[in-house]
Amino acid sequence: MDATKPIGYWLKHLDNLLERQFDATLADLGIGRRHWQLLNTLSRGPASREELTHALAPFWQAGAAEPAEVLDGPGNSLTARGWATTGGQKIALTAEGRAAHARIADRIAHSRRTVLGELTPEQYTATVRTLSFMAANVEADLASGGRPA
């Protein structure tokens, strides 16, 4: 490991690796990370399109499939697979969707254990806390105009 590289490098590098890991973990199912994120969010209960869009906004990158495409587009969307229903105001998992979530959750848990490796729960918590402080610092700076005084 080259600890001399700046945090931005490691954040981007880790994010790219996580994308690749999700792709590898879910490839045989014909789904990706965005499918999992929608499936996992809906596993907590029905949600409107607006609620889903808001909850998942930080994860959707320009050029990626739109949430509506992953949710109810043709092909391998959640509704096309019979995993979700989109009728009415709320979108909900079907019984088949809940079963799929349970199966996929086991794979995701394994991937997460791989990412954490030998980190203790305290180290993980400290890392997340540090990143949240850094994000808050940048948000505050941007809100104030982002220029030195």
Side-chain angles (χ1 to χ4, degrees), residues 113 115-125 127:
R113 285 190 302 274
V115 170
L116 296 178
E118 298 298 317
L119 287 177
T120 66
E122 295 79 17
Q123 288 171 315
Y124 175 77
T125 299
T127 300

Side-chain angles (χ1 to χ4, degrees), residues 70-141:
V70 175
L71 180 63
D72 53 11
N76 67 348
S77 69
L78 298 187
T79 57
R81 291 171 171 269
W83 292 355
T85 60
T86 58
Q89 297 288 337
K90 299 279 185 170
I91 298 154
L93 291 182
T94 63
E96 189 175 340
R98 286 187 297 279
H101 176 266
R103 287 189 311 273
I104 297 167
D106 287 340
R107 291 182 183 204
I108 300 304
H110 172 70
S111 292
R112 288 180 178 156
R113 285 190 302 274
T114 299
V115 170
L116 296 178
E118 298 298 317
L119 287 177
T120 66
E122 295 79 17
Q123 288 171 315
Y124 175 77
T125 299
T127 300
V128 172
R129 187 168 189 258
T130 299
L131 291 172
S132 73
F133 279 122
M134 293 172 83
N137 292 341
V138 174
E139 287 169 347
D141 184 59

Side-chain angles (χ1 to χ4, degrees), residues 24-101:
T25 299
L26 304 173
D28 64 313
L29 300 174
I31 63 172
R33 188 176 188 182
R34 304 306 166 251
H35 291 83
W36 165 252
Q37 288 168 330
L38 277 169
L39 192 65
N40 195 46
T41 301
L42 289 170
S43 75
R44 297 180 199 116
S48 68
R49 288 181 185 276
E50 295 78 25
E51 291 166 334
L52 289 172
T53 298
H54 178 73
L56 299 172
F59 302 102
W60 297 90
Q61 300 170 350
E66 292 294 319
E69 182 181 338
V70 175
L71 180 63
D72 53 11
N76 67 348
S77 69
L78 298 187
T79 57
R81 291 171 171 269
W83 292 355
T85 60
T86 58
Q89 297 288 337
K90 299 279 185 170
I91 298 154
L93 291 182
T94 63
E96 189 175 340
R98 286 187 297 279
H101 176 266

